[in-house]
Amino acid sequence: MTIKNTRNFCIIAHIDHGKTTLSDRLMDSTGTIAEREKQDQLLDSMDLERERGITIKSHPVAMKYHAKDGKNYRLNLLDTPGHVDFAYEVSRSLAACEGAILVVDAAQGVEAQTVANVHLASKHDLVIIPVINKIDLPNADVETVRKQIEDLLAIPGEDAIPCSAKAGIGIEDILEAVIARIPPPKQRDDTLRALVFDSVFDGYRGVVGYMRIFSGSAAPGQAVKLLSTNKNYEIKEVGVFTPKMFPQAKLHSGDVGYFIANIKTTAEIKIGDTLTDAKRPATEALPGFQEIHPMVFSGIYPINTADFEHLKAAMGKLQINDAAFVFQPESSIALGFGFRCGFLGLLHMEIIQERLRREYDMDIIATYPSVIYEVIRTNGERLEVDNPANLPDMSVIEEIREPIVKCFVMIPNENIGDMMQLMMEKRGTVDHTESIDTRRVMITALIPLNEILVDFHDKIKTLTRGYGSMDYESAGYRAADLVKLEILVNAEPVDAFSSIVHRDKAESRGRALAFKLKDVIPKQLYLVAIQAAIGGKIVARETVSAMRKNVTAKCYGGDITRKRKLLEKQKEGKKRMKAIGSVNIPQEAFIQVLKTS
């Protein structure tokens, strides 16, 4: 297939607008899938993706299409995720394409993530083909959605193609638009330059790299090297996805496919790297995409400490499959040896934990999620703190800065009051609001990242009965009155429960944690005090009552002083025990508290 007859494009949209269904229909109509292999969500290979109805990984597929102009074309499609946490997957797919199909739901219209994905595509100078999906729904409003596309996204409304991926309406129009509107890849010189935009780990064949060739060609037996590491390899196999891996004799400029070289470890390949010929290497790397910076941090520990090495190997394999996931070893007095892990958001964290449990059979416990804080010491030194245990003493801290995000929230008009109240609770400041149409409004606000971590998205959905949507982007750091909240059990601090919180919320969080711990810490032979402290100040306290032996049981009569003497003796014993005893908090207590916090 010549480069002029090749088209590379991806599908972008807000979550649940029908990207995966549309990619299924495109494969159906081009005859890429045999009848016996047909199934829904074909490109979603993980069980997790099928269960939740979301796309987590972007999947490439090469399709052959006989167009109305009588020519045969190769269409390389990349299906992408829609959730805000997986925006990095979208940016990687965009870097390998010349065009994008933008899917908008005919009933829901333009959503927050739709706007964000259009901005991403515009940064890469891609041709955008708007598609209005689900036109067969009874509440579909195609004309209003056309107007939204024009007003909010600055794309001509008449260019939008109406379709229904489920019913198979308008699929041919989309394929013809891809050929007519998206330009073919540009032909450069003969030097091999390929962008590595993804990779997976195969237990038998090592690392399988996904690549888009911008110039030159790649074939088995060819000596290649990765520019970032400067290491040389020999290609064992190249091929395309149909959507299963299909070996080819050679891949040419403009092709999207995979390569298998003798890359054995996860650390050797970097997503966004440039693959080039070892004998005639390219002098400079291809413009990749921005380096991914984790937004949320959490500790992951094996429940059985003997599984530490297994967990390390499992995380290494996951990391090659997911460039945004980072980890480094750490230890905790309470939980033993584990890893400090960085994620892009809470859904990303949830997915990684679930994959560790399912794919690698790991029993794990995760600590409360936190973000990276900037700490300015009194001597002018600047520190980055992602673990509350590493926060210096408050006496040597000039100020603590927390990460702020610019949040775009789309909600129905009647929910504005409730939404404003929720943003104030989360210490947010509303920047401005703008009307999208007669029914919906977009609120732009600045909110601390720590406040939207756990339940903000859920609360938006609850307030708006499912009609609200949210997207966010980093907006730098801002100084705030933050303190370290410590939990003391029997006057000993427990590092696994410590957190950095705003002073106004520290007391209520301390009370809630102490109350939870009271139920899960087993009774001792003496009273156990559970305290929440900020520096030296105790802000909350709960007491676990002591187990008591009835020492007066043998006194069935006689003077009261005999009973008092025995009780005083018991009291002295408990006092001595408390002074030398230590409370062992069982693993189950950590699991229960961290699950519910």
Side-chain angles (χ1 to χ4, degrees), residues 560-579:
I560 187 70
T561 53
R562 288 179 66 202
K563 291 186 179 180
R564 281 206 187 120
K565 193 176 171 185
L566 285 167
L567 289 167
E568 286 299 320
K569 195 176 174 186
Q570 185 188 39
K571 201 173 172 183
E572 283 300 313
K574 284 186 183 288
K575 203 172 176 182
R576 195 163 59 250
M577 226 187 290
K578 188 174 182 178

mmCIF file with all atom_site columns, all heavy atoms in Angstrom, residues 560-579:
data_model
loop_
_atom_site.group_PDB
_atom_site.id
_atom_site.type_symbol
_atom_site.label_atom_id
_atom_site.label_alt_id
_atom_site.label_comp_id
_atom_site.label_asym_id
_atom_site.label_entity_id
_atom_site.label_seq_id
_atom_site.pdbx_PDB_ins_code
_atom_site.Cartn_x
_atom_site.Cartn_y
_atom_site.Cartn_z
_atom_site.occupancy
_atom_site.B_iso_or_equiv
_atom_site.pdbx_formal_charge
_atom_site.auth_seq_id
_atom_site.auth_comp_id
_atom_site.auth_asym_id
_atom_site.auth_atom_id
_atom_site.pdbx_PDB_model_num
ATOM 1   N N   . ILE A 1 560 ? -15.325 -4.709  103.452 1.00 0.00 ? 560 ILE A N   1
ATOM 2   C CA  . ILE A 1 560 ? -15.158 -4.061  102.133 1.00 0.00 ? 560 ILE A CA  1
ATOM 3   C C   . ILE A 1 560 ? -13.699 -3.732  101.853 1.00 0.00 ? 560 ILE A C   1
ATOM 4   O O   . ILE A 1 560 ? -13.256 -3.658  100.706 1.00 0.00 ? 560 ILE A O   1
ATOM 5   C CB  . ILE A 1 560 ? -16.054 -2.791  102.042 1.00 0.00 ? 560 ILE A CB  1
ATOM 6   C CG1 . ILE A 1 560 ? -16.048 -2.186  100.612 1.00 0.00 ? 560 ILE A CG1 1
ATOM 7   C CG2 . ILE A 1 560 ? -15.608 -1.711  103.035 1.00 0.00 ? 560 ILE A CG2 1
ATOM 8   C CD1 . ILE A 1 560 ? -16.745 -2.996  99.616  1.00 0.00 ? 560 ILE A CD1 1
ATOM 9   N N   . THR A 1 561 ? -12.915 -3.494  102.918 1.00 0.00 ? 561 THR A N   1
ATOM 10  C CA  . THR A 1 561 ? -11.503 -3.114  102.734 1.00 0.00 ? 561 THR A CA  1
ATOM 11  C C   . THR A 1 561 ? -10.715 -4.222  102.031 1.00 0.00 ? 561 THR A C   1
ATOM 12  O O   . THR A 1 561 ? -9.741  -3.948  101.345 1.00 0.00 ? 561 THR A O   1
ATOM 13  C CB  . THR A 1 561 ? -10.829 -2.793  104.087 1.00 0.00 ? 561 THR A CB  1
ATOM 14  O OG1 . THR A 1 561 ? -11.040 -3.904  104.967 1.00 0.00 ? 561 THR A OG1 1
ATOM 15  C CG2 . THR A 1 561 ? -11.386 -1.520  104.696 1.00 0.00 ? 561 THR A CG2 1
ATOM 16  N N   . ARG A 1 562 ? -11.134 -5.485  102.183 1.00 0.00 ? 562 ARG A N   1
ATOM 17  C CA  . ARG A 1 562 ? -10.448 -6.602  101.495 1.00 0.00 ? 562 ARG A CA  1
ATOM 18  C C   . ARG A 1 562 ? -10.593 -6.463  99.977  1.00 0.00 ? 562 ARG A C   1
ATOM 19  O O   . ARG A 1 562 ? -9.647  -6.643  99.226  1.00 0.00 ? 562 ARG A O   1
ATOM 20  C CB  . ARG A 1 562 ? -11.037 -7.945  101.953 1.00 0.00 ? 562 ARG A CB  1
ATOM 21  C CG  . ARG A 1 562 ? -10.645 -8.337  103.380 1.00 0.00 ? 562 ARG A CG  1
ATOM 22  C CD  . ARG A 1 562 ? -11.277 -9.646  103.762 1.00 0.00 ? 562 ARG A CD  1
ATOM 23  N NE  . ARG A 1 562 ? -10.752 -10.755 102.952 1.00 0.00 ? 562 ARG A NE  1
ATOM 24  C CZ  . ARG A 1 562 ? -11.381 -11.899 102.766 1.00 0.00 ? 562 ARG A CZ  1
ATOM 25  N NH1 . ARG A 1 562 ? -12.550 -12.093 103.304 1.00 0.00 ? 562 ARG A NH1 1
ATOM 26  N NH2 . ARG A 1 562 ? -10.853 -12.849 102.034 1.00 0.00 ? 562 ARG A NH2 1
ATOM 27  N N   . LYS A 1 563 ? -11.832 -6.104  99.558  1.00 0.00 ? 563 LYS A N   1
ATOM 28  C CA  . LYS A 1 563 ? -12.081 -5.924  98.113  1.00 0.00 ? 563 LYS A CA  1
ATOM 29  C C   . LYS A 1 563 ? -11.301 -4.719  97.583  1.00 0.00 ? 563 LYS A C   1
ATOM 30  O O   . LYS A 1 563 ? -10.715 -4.762  96.489  1.00 0.00 ? 563 LYS A O   1
ATOM 31  C CB  . LYS A 1 563 ? -13.576 -5.734  97.846  1.00 0.00 ? 563 LYS A CB  1
ATOM 32  C CG  . LYS A 1 563 ? -14.389 -6.995  98.091  1.00 0.00 ? 563 LYS A CG  1
ATOM 33  C CD  . LYS A 1 563 ? -15.830 -6.804  97.678  1.00 0.00 ? 563 LYS A CD  1
ATOM 34  C CE  . LYS A 1 563 ? -16.600 -8.110  97.911  1.00 0.00 ? 563 LYS A CE  1
ATOM 35  N NZ  . LYS A 1 563 ? -18.003 -8.008  97.526  1.00 0.00 ? 563 LYS A NZ  1
ATOM 36  N N   . ARG A 1 564 ? -11.315 -3.611  98.362  1.00 0.00 ? 564 ARG A N   1
ATOM 37  C CA  . ARG A 1 564 ? -10.611 -2.395  97.919  1.00 0.00 ? 564 ARG A CA  1
ATOM 38  C C   . ARG A 1 564 ? -9.121  -2.666  97.753  1.00 0.00 ? 564 ARG A C   1
ATOM 39  O O   . ARG A 1 564 ? -8.500  -2.174  96.820  1.00 0.00 ? 564 ARG A O   1
ATOM 40  C CB  . ARG A 1 564 ? -10.827 -1.279  98.955  1.00 0.00 ? 564 ARG A CB  1
ATOM 41  C CG  . ARG A 1 564 ? -12.183 -0.623  98.803  1.00 0.00 ? 564 ARG A CG  1
ATOM 42  C CD  . ARG A 1 564 ? -12.165 0.797   99.330  1.00 0.00 ? 564 ARG A CD  1
ATOM 43  N NE  . ARG A 1 564 ? -13.510 1.330   99.311  1.00 0.00 ? 564 ARG A NE  1
ATOM 44  C CZ  . ARG A 1 564 ? -14.161 1.752   100.390 1.00 0.00 ? 564 ARG A CZ  1
ATOM 45  N NH1 . ARG A 1 564 ? -13.577 1.713   101.576 1.00 0.00 ? 564 ARG A NH1 1
ATOM 46  N NH2 . ARG A 1 564 ? -15.374 2.229   100.287 1.00 0.00 ? 564 ARG A NH2 1
ATOM 47  N N   . LYS A 1 565 ? -8.572  -3.446  98.663  1.00 0.00 ? 565 LYS A N   1
ATOM 48  C CA  . LYS A 1 565 ? -7.138  -3.756  98.630  1.00 0.00 ? 565 LYS A CA  1
ATOM 49  C C   . LYS A 1 565 ? -6.791  -4.501  97.327  1.00 0.00 ? 565 LYS A C   1
ATOM 50  O O   . LYS A 1 565 ? -5.802  -4.205  96.656  1.00 0.00 ? 565 LYS A O   1
ATOM 51  C CB  . LYS A 1 565 ? -6.801  -4.625  99.858  1.00 0.00 ? 565 LYS A CB  1
ATOM 52  C CG  . LYS A 1 565 ? -5.318  -4.766  100.139 1.00 0.00 ? 565 LYS A CG  1
ATOM 53  C CD  . LYS A 1 565 ? -5.155  -5.557  101.431 1.00 0.00 ? 565 LYS A CD  1
ATOM 54  C CE  . LYS A 1 565 ? -3.701  -5.917  101.650 1.00 0.00 ? 565 LYS A CE  1
ATOM 55  N NZ  . LYS A 1 565 ? -3.557  -6.789  102.840 1.00 0.00 ? 565 LYS A NZ  1
ATOM 56  N N   . LEU A 1 566 ? -7.642  -5.478  96.949  1.00 0.00 ? 566 LEU A N   1
ATOM 57  C CA  . LEU A 1 566 ? -7.406  -6.250  95.726  1.00 0.00 ? 566 LEU A CA  1
ATOM 58  C C   . LEU A 1 566 ? -7.542  -5.367  94.470  1.00 0.00 ? 566 LEU A C   1
ATOM 59  O O   . LEU A 1 566 ? -6.770  -5.482  93.530  1.00 0.00 ? 566 LEU A O   1
ATOM 60  C CB  . LEU A 1 566 ? -8.404  -7.416  95.626  1.00 0.00 ? 566 LEU A CB  1
ATOM 61  C CG  . LEU A 1 566 ? -8.133  -8.597  96.559  1.00 0.00 ? 566 LEU A CG  1
ATOM 62  C CD1 . LEU A 1 566 ? -9.339  -9.517  96.606  1.00 0.00 ? 566 LEU A CD1 1
ATOM 63  C CD2 . LEU A 1 566 ? -6.901  -9.370  96.116  1.00 0.00 ? 566 LEU A CD2 1
ATOM 64  N N   . LEU A 1 567 ? -8.550  -4.472  94.465  1.00 0.00 ? 567 LEU A N   1
ATOM 65  C CA  . LEU A 1 567 ? -8.759  -3.586  93.320  1.00 0.00 ? 567 LEU A CA  1
ATOM 66  C C   . LEU A 1 567 ? -7.595  -2.604  93.156  1.00 0.00 ? 567 LEU A C   1
ATOM 67  O O   . LEU A 1 567 ? -7.180  -2.292  92.033  1.00 0.00 ? 567 LEU A O   1
ATOM 68  C CB  . LEU A 1 567 ? -10.078 -2.819  93.446  1.00 0.00 ? 567 LEU A CB  1
ATOM 69  C CG  . LEU A 1 567 ? -11.347 -3.666  93.255  1.00 0.00 ? 567 LEU A CG  1
ATOM 70  C CD1 . LEU A 1 567 ? -12.584 -2.911  93.704  1.00 0.00 ? 567 LEU A CD1 1
ATOM 71  C CD2 . LEU A 1 567 ? -11.503 -4.088  91.790  1.00 0.00 ? 567 LEU A CD2 1
ATOM 72  N N   . GLU A 1 568 ? -7.075  -2.089  94.299  1.00 0.00 ? 568 GLU A N   1
ATOM 73  C CA  . GLU A 1 568 ? -5.921  -1.175  94.241  1.00 0.00 ? 568 GLU A CA  1
ATOM 74  C C   . GLU A 1 568 ? -4.685  -1.876  93.682  1.00 0.00 ? 568 GLU A C   1
ATOM 75  O O   . GLU A 1 568 ? -3.930  -1.312  92.896  1.00 0.00 ? 568 GLU A O   1
ATOM 76  C CB  . GLU A 1 568 ? -5.608  -0.623  95.645  1.00 0.00 ? 568 GLU A CB  1
ATOM 77  C CG  . GLU A 1 568 ? -6.586  0.437   96.155  1.00 0.00 ? 568 GLU A CG  1
ATOM 78  C CD  . GLU A 1 568 ? -6.613  1.671   95.271  1.00 0.00 ? 568 GLU A CD  1
ATOM 79  O OE1 . GLU A 1 568 ? -5.544  2.103   94.797  1.00 0.00 ? 568 GLU A OE1 1
ATOM 80  O OE2 . GLU A 1 568 ? -7.720  2.197   95.004  1.00 0.00 ? 568 GLU A OE2 1
ATOM 81  N N   . LYS A 1 569 ? -4.526  -3.153  94.089  1.00 0.00 ? 569 LYS A N   1
ATOM 82  C CA  . LYS A 1 569 ? -3.387  -3.944  93.606  1.00 0.00 ? 569 LYS A CA  1
ATOM 83  C C   . LYS A 1 569 ? -3.491  -4.137  92.077  1.00 0.00 ? 569 LYS A C   1
ATOM 84  O O   . LYS A 1 569 ? -2.506  -4.046  91.345  1.00 0.00 ? 569 LYS A O   1
ATOM 85  C CB  . LYS A 1 569 ? -3.391  -5.304  94.329  1.00 0.00 ? 569 LYS A CB  1
ATOM 86  C CG  . LYS A 1 569 ? -2.085  -6.075  94.211  1.00 0.00 ? 569 LYS A CG  1
ATOM 87  C CD  . LYS A 1 569 ? -2.171  -7.345  95.039  1.00 0.00 ? 569 LYS A CD  1
ATOM 88  C CE  . LYS A 1 569 ? -0.941  -8.204  94.810  1.00 0.00 ? 569 LYS A CE  1
ATOM 89  N NZ  . LYS A 1 569 ? -1.081  -9.504  95.502  1.00 0.00 ? 569 LYS A NZ  1
ATOM 90  N N   . GLN A 1 570 ? -4.715  -4.422  91.604  1.00 0.00 ? 570 GLN A N   1
ATOM 91  C CA  . GLN A 1 570 ? -4.943  -4.598  90.156  1.00 0.00 ? 570 GLN A CA  1
ATOM 92  C C   . GLN A 1 570 ? -4.652  -3.302  89.406  1.00 0.00 ? 570 GLN A C   1
ATOM 93  O O   . GLN A 1 570 ? -4.048  -3.307  88.333  1.00 0.00 ? 570 GLN A O   1
ATOM 94  C CB  . GLN A 1 570 ? -6.400  -5.019  89.913  1.00 0.00 ? 570 GLN A CB  1
ATOM 95  C CG  . GLN A 1 570 ? -6.687  -5.344  88.436  1.00 0.00 ? 570 GLN A CG  1
ATOM 96  C CD  . GLN A 1 570 ? -8.167  -5.570  88.167  1.00 0.00 ? 570 GLN A CD  1
ATOM 97  O OE1 . GLN A 1 570 ? -9.002  -4.874  88.734  1.00 0.00 ? 570 GLN A OE1 1
ATOM 98  N NE2 . GLN A 1 570 ? -8.477  -6.533  87.337  1.00 0.00 ? 570 GLN A NE2 1
ATOM 99  N N   . LYS A 1 571 ? -5.068  -2.168  90.003  1.00 0.00 ? 571 LYS A N   1
ATOM 100 C CA  . LYS A 1 571 ? -4.876  -0.858  89.387  1.00 0.00 ? 571 LYS A CA  1
ATOM 101 C C   . LYS A 1 571 ? -3.386  -0.560  89.197  1.00 0.00 ? 571 LYS A C   1
ATOM 102 O O   . LYS A 1 571 ? -2.956  -0.064  88.143  1.00 0.00 ? 571 LYS A O   1
ATOM 103 C CB  . LYS A 1 571 ? -5.514  0.195   90.289  1.00 0.00 ? 571 LYS A CB  1
ATOM 104 C CG  . LYS A 1 571 ? -5.847  1.503   89.600  1.00 0.00 ? 571 LYS A CG  1
ATOM 105 C CD  . LYS A 1 571 ? -6.632  2.346   90.598  1.00 0.00 ? 571 LYS A CD  1
ATOM 106 C CE  . LYS A 1 571 ? -6.853  3.747   90.085  1.00 0.00 ? 571 LYS A CE  1
ATOM 107 N NZ  . LYS A 1 571 ? -7.563  4.562   91.098  1.00 0.00 ? 571 LYS A NZ  1
ATOM 108 N N   . GLU A 1 572 ? -2.585  -0.880  90.237  1.00 0.00 ? 572 GLU A N   1
ATOM 109 C CA  . GLU A 1 572 ? -1.136  -0.663  90.165  1.00 0.00 ? 572 GLU A CA  1
ATOM 110 C C   . GLU A 1 572 ? -0.519  -1.517  89.045  1.00 0.00 ? 572 GLU A C   1
ATOM 111 O O   . GLU A 1 572 ? 0.352   -1.069  88.308  1.00 0.00 ? 572 GLU A O   1
ATOM 112 C CB  . GLU A 1 572 ? -0.479  -1.019  91.507  1.00 0.00 ? 572 GLU A CB  1
ATOM 113 C CG  . GLU A 1 572 ? -0.666  0.023   92.597  1.00 0.00 ? 572 GLU A CG  1
ATOM 114 C CD  . GLU A 1 572 ? -0.072  1.372   92.214  1.00 0.00 ? 572 GLU A CD  1
ATOM 115 O OE1 . GLU A 1 572 ? 1.088   1.396   91.738  1.00 0.00 ? 572 GLU A OE1 1
ATOM 116 O OE2 . GLU A 1 572 ? -0.771  2.391   92.345  1.00 0.00 ? 572 GLU A OE2 1
ATOM 117 N N   . GLY A 1 573 ? -0.996  -2.764  88.943  1.00 0.00 ? 573 GLY A N   1
ATOM 118 C CA  . GLY A 1 573 ? -0.489  -3.680  87.908  1.00 0.00 ? 573 GLY A CA  1
ATOM 119 C C   . GLY A 1 573 ? -0.775  -3.154  86.510  1.00 0.00 ? 573 GLY A C   1
ATOM 120 O O   . GLY A 1 573 ? 0.075   -3.199  85.619  1.00 0.00 ? 573 GLY A O   1
ATOM 121 N N   . LYS A 1 574 ? -1.999  -2.638  86.293  1.00 0.00 ? 574 LYS A N   1
ATOM 122 C CA  . LYS A 1 574 ? -2.382  -2.100  84.981  1.00 0.00 ? 574 LYS A CA  1
ATOM 123 C C   . LYS A 1 574 ? -1.537  -0.870  84.631  1.00 0.00 ? 574 LYS A C   1
ATOM 124 O O   . LYS A 1 574 ? -1.155  -0.662  83.482  1.00 0.00 ? 574 LYS A O   1
ATOM 125 C CB  . LYS A 1 574 ? -3.867  -1.733  84.963  1.00 0.00 ? 574 LYS A CB  1
ATOM 126 C CG  . LYS A 1 574 ? -4.780  -2.960  84.845  1.00 0.00 ? 574 LYS A CG  1
ATOM 127 C CD  . LYS A 1 574 ? -6.215  -2.541  84.683  1.00 0.00 ? 574 LYS A CD  1
ATOM 128 C CE  . LYS A 1 574 ? -7.152  -3.730  84.631  1.00 0.00 ? 574 LYS A CE  1
ATOM 129 N NZ  . LYS A 1 574 ? -7.070  -4.490  83.392  1.00 0.00 ? 574 LYS A NZ  1
ATOM 130 N N   . LYS A 1 575 ? -1.255  -0.048  85.673  1.00 0.00 ? 575 LYS A N   1
ATOM 131 C CA  . LYS A 1 575 ? -0.454  1.159   85.475  1.00 0.00 ? 575 LYS A CA  1
ATOM 132 C C   . LYS A 1 575 ? 0.957   0.783   85.001  1.00 0.00 ? 575 LYS A C   1
ATOM 133 O O   . LYS A 1 575 ? 1.507   1.374   84.073  1.00 0.00 ? 575 LYS A O   1
ATOM 134 C CB  . LYS A 1 575 ? -0.380  1.916   86.808  1.00 0.00 ? 575 LYS A CB  1
ATOM 135 C CG  . LYS A 1 575 ? -0.080  3.392   86.678  1.00 0.00 ? 575 LYS A CG  1
ATOM 136 C CD  . LYS A 1 575 ? -0.235  4.030   88.056  1.00 0.00 ? 575 LYS A CD  1
ATOM 137 C CE  . LYS A 1 575 ? 0.149   5.485   88.024  1.00 0.00 ? 575 LYS A CE  1
ATOM 138 N NZ  . LYS A 1 575 ? 0.034   6.088   89.362  1.00 0.00 ? 575 LYS A NZ  1
ATOM 139 N N   . ARG A 1 576 ? 1.535   -0.232  85.677  1.00 0.00 ? 576 ARG A N   1
ATOM 140 C CA  . ARG A 1 576 ? 2.887   -0.691  85.338  1.00 0.00 ? 576 ARG A CA  1
ATOM 141 C C   . ARG A 1 576 ? 2.899   -1.290  83.920  1.00 0.00 ? 576 ARG A C   1
ATOM 142 O O   . ARG A 1 576 ? 3.804   -1.091  83.127  1.00 0.00 ? 576 ARG A O   1
ATOM 143 C CB  . ARG A 1 576 ? 3.349   -1.731  86.372  1.00 0.00 ? 576 ARG A CB  1
ATOM 144 C CG  . ARG A 1 576 ? 4.840   -2.020  86.338  1.00 0.00 ? 576 ARG A CG  1
ATOM 145 C CD  . ARG A 1 576 ? 5.328   -2.710  87.604  1.00 0.00 ? 576 ARG A CD  1
ATOM 146 N NE  . ARG A 1 576 ? 4.663   -3.982  87.851  1.00 0.00 ? 576 ARG A NE  1
ATOM 147 C CZ  . ARG A 1 576 ? 3.798   -4.162  88.861  1.00 0.00 ? 576 ARG A CZ  1
ATOM 148 N NH1 . ARG A 1 576 ? 3.511   -3.162  89.689  1.00 0.00 ? 576 ARG A NH1 1
ATOM 149 N NH2 . ARG A 1 576 ? 3.221   -5.332  89.044  1.00 0.00 ? 576 ARG A NH2 1
ATOM 150 N N   . MET A 1 577 ? 1.841   -2.053  83.596  1.00 0.00 ? 577 MET A N   1
ATOM 151 C CA  . MET A 1 577 ? 1.721   -2.686  82.279  1.00 0.00 ? 577 MET A CA  1
ATOM 152 C C   . MET A 1 577 ? 1.651   -1.638  81.167  1.00 0.00 ? 577 MET A C   1
ATOM 153 O O   . MET A 1 577 ? 2.276   -1.764  80.121  1.00 0.00 ? 577 MET A O   1
ATOM 154 C CB  . MET A 1 577 ? 0.428   -3.507  82.250  1.00 0.00 ? 577 MET A CB  1
ATOM 155 C CG  . MET A 1 577 ? 0.601   -4.901  81.669  1.00 0.00 ? 577 MET A CG  1
ATOM 156 S SD  . MET A 1 577 ? -0.971  -5.687  81.484  1.00 0.00 ? 577 MET A SD  1
ATOM 157 C CE  . MET A 1 577 ? -1.457  -5.990  83.149  1.00 0.00 ? 577 MET A CE  1
ATOM 158 N N   . LYS A 1 578 ? 0.893   -0.543  81.438  1.00 0.00 ? 578 LYS A N   1
ATOM 159 C CA  . LYS A 1 578 ? 0.728   0.508   80.447  1.00 0.00 ? 578 LYS A CA  1
ATOM 160 C C   . LYS A 1 578 ? 2.061   1.210   80.181  1.00 0.00 ? 578 LYS A C   1
ATOM 161 O O   . LYS A 1 578 ? 2.367   1.615   79.048  1.00 0.00 ? 578 LYS A O   1
ATOM 162 C CB  . LYS A 1 578 ? -0.321  1.514   80.927  1.00 0.00 ? 578 LYS A CB  1
ATOM 163 C CG  . LYS A 1 578 ? -0.690  2.527   79.864  1.00 0.00 ? 578 LYS A CG  1
ATOM 164 C CD  . LYS A 1 578 ? -1.831  3.400   80.326  1.00 0.00 ? 578 LYS A CD  1
ATOM 165 C CE  . LYS A 1 578 ? -2.221  4.373   79.230  1.00 0.00 ? 578 LYS A CE  1
ATOM 166 N NZ  . LYS A 1 578 ? -3.340  5.213   79.608  1.00 0.00 ? 578 LYS A NZ  1
ATOM 167 N N   . ALA A 1 579 ? 2.858   1.357   81.222  1.00 0.00 ? 579 ALA A N   1
ATOM 168 C CA  . ALA A 1 579 ? 4.141   2.055   81.096  1.00 0.00 ? 579 ALA A CA  1
ATOM 169 C C   . ALA A 1 579 ? 5.129   1.268   80.235  1.00 0.00 ? 579 ALA A C   1
ATOM 170 O O   . ALA A 1 579 ? 5.908   1.835   79.481  1.00 0.00 ? 579 ALA A O   1
ATOM 171 C CB  . ALA A 1 579 ? 4.729   2.308   82.476  1.00 0.00 ? 579 ALA A CB  1
#
